[in-house]
Amino acid sequence: MVTGDVAPAIRIANLSKFFGDLTAIDDVTIDIPTGEFLVIVGPSGCGKTTLLRILAGLDQPSVGAFTVSTPKELGRPENSMVFQGDSLFPWMTVWDNAAYGLRMRGAPAAQIKEVVGHYLDRIGLTRFAKSYPHELSGGMRQRVSIARAFANDPEILLMDEPFSALDAQNKLLLQEELLRIWEEHKKTVVFITHSVDEAVILGDRIMIMTAQPGRVKMLLRVPFGRPRNVMELARDAQFGNLVHDIWMQLREEVDRARSQNEMNG
Amino acid sequence: MSQVASVIPQAKPWTLNRRSRERIISFLSPIALLLLWEVLARLGILDTRFFPAPSQILSTLLTMMTSGELLDDTLISMTRLAVGFLVGGIPALIIGVVMGLNSTLRAMIDPLIAATYPIPKSSILPLALLVLGLGEASKIFMVAIGVFYPIAMNSMAGVREINRVYLDVGHNFKAGRWDVFRTIALPGAMPMIMTGVKLGVGMGLVLIAIAEMVGAKSGLGYLIWNAWETFAVDQMYVGLFVIALIGFALTLILNELEKILVPWKP
């Protein structure tokens, strides 16, 4: 059970990131409670990917800091990331890709076999264990990326627009699948997207970011319970209203980003 | 049985697909050339002092094989090639991959490679003989130097062309330095490394032939040079033929090796 007095899984305090004169992220502060599925939406170039890369340890903040609650068991990693687009190693089979994190932290062979087997089964790719990524469709590859992150059993999961390259049907199927796998352990997730529908379908909370420099424009709670039925959700009137409201907020920022670009260009 | 057979469409000889037709043509064309050569030599149109008939070369080949000298020279050249390949290739691979991963080392070593690369490798032979003597060391050195450049340069380029996202994945999954080398840099650069290996082996074969002509008393290069000095032209052709055969066989072997080492290339 998540209770109010438990320390948040992630605490971001006054975090900013500059690239030369450019402010990519401006003073972001947020607490993300353990087990929350937080979705960040914002116009392109609002620094949301930079924020995620900082959380993943791939980039350093210029000002401010963030803390991630340490894993309770020794050897478990703090975070694992699902990258945007193709990030599976083309030279490894599906199995070896999914086992990568566990192998890198020297997990025992029996554990690797059990955990990887479990997640390949969950994403329905058991019979492709020995295939190479180029033999799979884009949707299948992204499922393996998700399995790779989940199999690593991190304290928090970071996802950078994992479905943005997929067609509409595949996107819907993978959103459903992601929610199903996530329901098993309800890990803390930070998920980035530019799709408002996706944000409402997946998130417990949605953080809307402003156009450059990226600030927290608004935080709102998604009122739907869990487990969610992705197909049913789309018929809910409340779903439509929420998508509309967020889109209105976002639109201001998209327009602003566009005029910035025109001024610069 | 007859029922099954009747279902299978009969392949007609004139409906061969383009691939197998091209394969037959590429098999037949060298044979046709050899036949033409044979005929022209026998008719006396070709000067057999310079171009002995293929049948004559073949019979010399058989004589040299039964006497054992051809096998000895072939094995000696192959050994020099193999040892030189390892002596030059392994450091080249390591230096190349490390240069690809580390920009400081790249800045240090790259100018040295760029400056020495244009020197024709064969022109170093006198220096090699001077420093290393007439023994095996100078031959192995010549092969090693020929193998080194293409493998080092291709390994470096191969690592640098690896998509950055794979290094990010490695970092995010806490891969250590050695893990990055082993699981990302090396396999990721392997297609280019194999290109370098093929070029290097070709260069090594060229250089071993030259090195054996000047400073050796054994090997296929020596065999060819000796044939020139004794004007045994048919033996010279045997030497050329065997070197060509080795080059051809190595290409086939390396292509197979590539399929094993790079099973993920579509």
Side-chain angles (χ1 to χ4, degrees):
Chain A
M1 275 300 291
V2 179
T3 51
D5 50 305
V6 167
I10 309 170
R11 167 163 275 170
I12 303 174
N14 307 104
L15 192 148
S16 299
K17 176 73 179 176
F18 315 118
F19 294 107
D21 293 339
L22 192 121
T23 305
I25 301 169
D26 187 19
D27 198 31
V28 167
T29 298
I30 184 176
D31 279 359
I32 304 164
T34 302
E36 180 174 80
F37 199 126
L38 177 81
V39 182
I40 302 176
V41 287
S44 317
C46 73
K48 50 192 194 299
T49 293
T50 307
L51 182 59
L52 205 68
R53 286 181 62 87
I54 289 173
L55 293 179
L58 298 172
D59 242 322
Q60 303 304 318
S62 307
V63 178
F66 71 95
T67 49
V68 175
S69 63
T70 33
K72 285 154 218 74
E73 299 150 49
L74 212 67
R76 275 185 52 214
E78 185 185 276
N79 74 77
S80 294
M81 180 141 161
V82 179
F83 289 81
Q84 188 178 5
D86 278 336
S87 70
L88 293 181
F89 299 122
W91 48 87
M92 289 184 197
T93 60
V94 165
W95 181 280
D96 290 340
N97 264 295
Y100 191 73
L102 288 169
R103 284 197 181 138
M104 286 304 109
R105 59 188 172 94
Q111 188 195 347
I112 295 175
K113 203 169 168 214
E114 189 199 321
V115 173
V116 174
H118 170 74
Y119 282 108
L120 287 191
D121 183 48
R122 291 307 308 251
I123 59 166
L125 290 179
T126 303
R127 67 197 179 87
F128 291 95
K130 290 193 173 114
S131 302
Y132 285 94
H134 80 265
E135 298 169 293
L136 309 181
S137 68
M140 288 156 99
R141 284 202 287 269
Q142 213 48 312
R143 277 191 219 145
V144 180
S145 287
I146 290 169
R148 176 169 71 182
F150 272 93
N152 201 26
D153 191 22
E155 195 62 21
I156 58 170
L157 280 158
L158 306 171
M159 305 197 186
D160 183 12
E161 304 195 33
F163 307 142
S164 61
L166 303 180
D167 62 69
Q169 288 97 335
N170 254 309
K171 195 180 277 196
L172 215 57
L173 289 175
L174 260 80
Q175 287 163 350
E176 212 169 42
E177 221 159 74
L178 171 63
L179 285 181
R180 222 178 49 225
I181 300 170
W182 178 74
E183 294 279 350
E184 278 181 21
H185 299 292
K186 295 221 165 118
K187 284 182 186 298
T188 313
V189 176
V190 180
F191 187 108
I192 280 177
T193 183
H194 56 246
S195 154
V196 177
D197 288 27
E198 187 164 83
V200 177
I201 287 169
L202 298 174
D204 290 323
R205 257 200 317 168
I206 296 173
M207 171 173 139
I208 304 173
M209 283 182 81
T210 60
Q212 192 208 103
R215 295 196 193 96
V216 182
K217 182 183 174 81
M218 185 184 246
L219 269 165
L220 44 91
R221 192 158 293 283
V222 179
F224 307 114
R226 308 243 182 217
R228 285 181 195 168
N229 182 324
V230 172
M231 304 295 164
E232 286 296 308
L233 212 56
R235 294 205 308 208
D236 199 309
Q238 225 184 334
F239 176 87
N241 289 335
L242 193 54
V243 168
H244 176 80
D245 292 349
I246 296 170
W247 180 229
M248 282 298 124
Q249 294 290 331
L250 203 54
R251 189 181 173 139
E252 283 177 29
E253 298 307 319
V254 175
D255 285 342
R256 213 156 63 80
R258 189 189 282 176
S259 63
Q260 276 173 359
N261 284 341
E262 274 162 14
M263 266 162 59
N264 296 337
Chain B
M1 281 298 279
S2 61
Q3 269 178 320
V4 176
S6 65
V7 179
I8 299 166
Q10 296 287 307
K12 291 173 184 140
W14 57 86
T15 59
L16 277 176
N17 62 36
R18 210 166 61 111
R19 217 183 137 84
S20 36
R21 205 167 57 217
E22 279 170 2
R23 199 170 284 174
I24 289 170
I25 290 170
S26 58
F27 181 71
L28 286 180
S29 73
I31 291 180
L33 188 69
L34 283 174
L35 274 175
L36 183 69
W37 182 355
E38 181 77 33
V39 170
L40 293 179
R42 291 206 178 193
L43 290 176
I45 298 169
L46 274 178
D47 188 341
T48 51
R49 284 177 306 167
F50 305 132
F51 306 103
S55 58
Q56 171 65 34
I57 296 169
L58 187 67
S59 93
T60 310
L61 174 79
L62 292 174
T63 323
M64 289 169 77
M65 258 165 70
T66 42
S67 76
E69 55 176 325
L70 184 61
L71 191 66
D72 286 349
D73 282 327
T74 306
L75 282 178
I76 285 166
S77 292
M78 296 279 283
T79 309
R80 286 168 179 158
L81 188 63
V83 175
F85 176 76
L86 294 178
V87 169
I90 291 172
L93 179 71
I94 295 169
I95 291 171
V97 172
V98 170
M99 276 169 72
L101 286 173
N102 186 316
S103 59
T104 313
L105 281 170
R106 185 161 65 241
M108 230 161 73
I109 305 172
D110 205 23
L112 301 178
I113 290 187
T116 51
Y117 174 68
I119 301 171
K121 306 299 165 290
S122 47
S123 67
I124 306 172
L125 181 57
L127 186 65
L129 291 174
L130 194 67
V131 176
L132 298 167
L134 289 167
E136 289 305 295
S138 54
K139 321 287 173 300
I140 288 164
F141 173 78
M142 289 306 290
V143 175
I145 202 118
V147 166
F148 179 85
Y149 285 90
I151 295 187
M153 291 163 92
N154 278 283
S155 303
M156 180 181 80
V159 172
R160 295 198 70 191
E161 274 173 28
I162 294 173
N163 192 331
R164 265 218 66 87
V165 76
Y166 301 132
L167 297 171
D168 281 346
V169 173
H171 193 195
N172 186 242
F173 284 88
K174 300 282 174 278
R177 238 170 231 270
W178 167 243
D179 289 320
V180 169
F181 180 88
R182 189 176 54 89
T183 64
I184 300 171
L186 197 59
M190 195 49 84
M192 296 245 352
I193 291 172
M194 281 309 296
T195 306
V197 166
K198 288 179 188 174
L199 291 169
V201 166
M203 186 54 102
L205 202 58
V206 169
L207 287 170
I208 194 61
I210 293 175
E212 286 174 346
M213 280 179 193
V214 177
K217 287 278 168 270
S218 59
L220 290 168
Y222 166 74
L223 188 153
I224 293 168
W225 191 255
N226 192 49
W228 138 255
E229 287 188 322
T230 59
F231 208 69
V233 181
D234 44 357
Q235 287 191 21
M236 195 187 285
Y237 277 97
V238 169
L240 292 174
F241 174 73
V242 173
I243 285 187
L245 204 63
I246 290 172
F248 183 65
L250 286 174
T251 306
L252 290 185
I253 291 168
L254 289 174
N255 284 341
E256 285 309 305
L257 186 69
E258 189 173 25
K259 278 183 205 156
I260 294 167
L261 289 176
V262 192
W264 47 277
K265 274 274 152 174

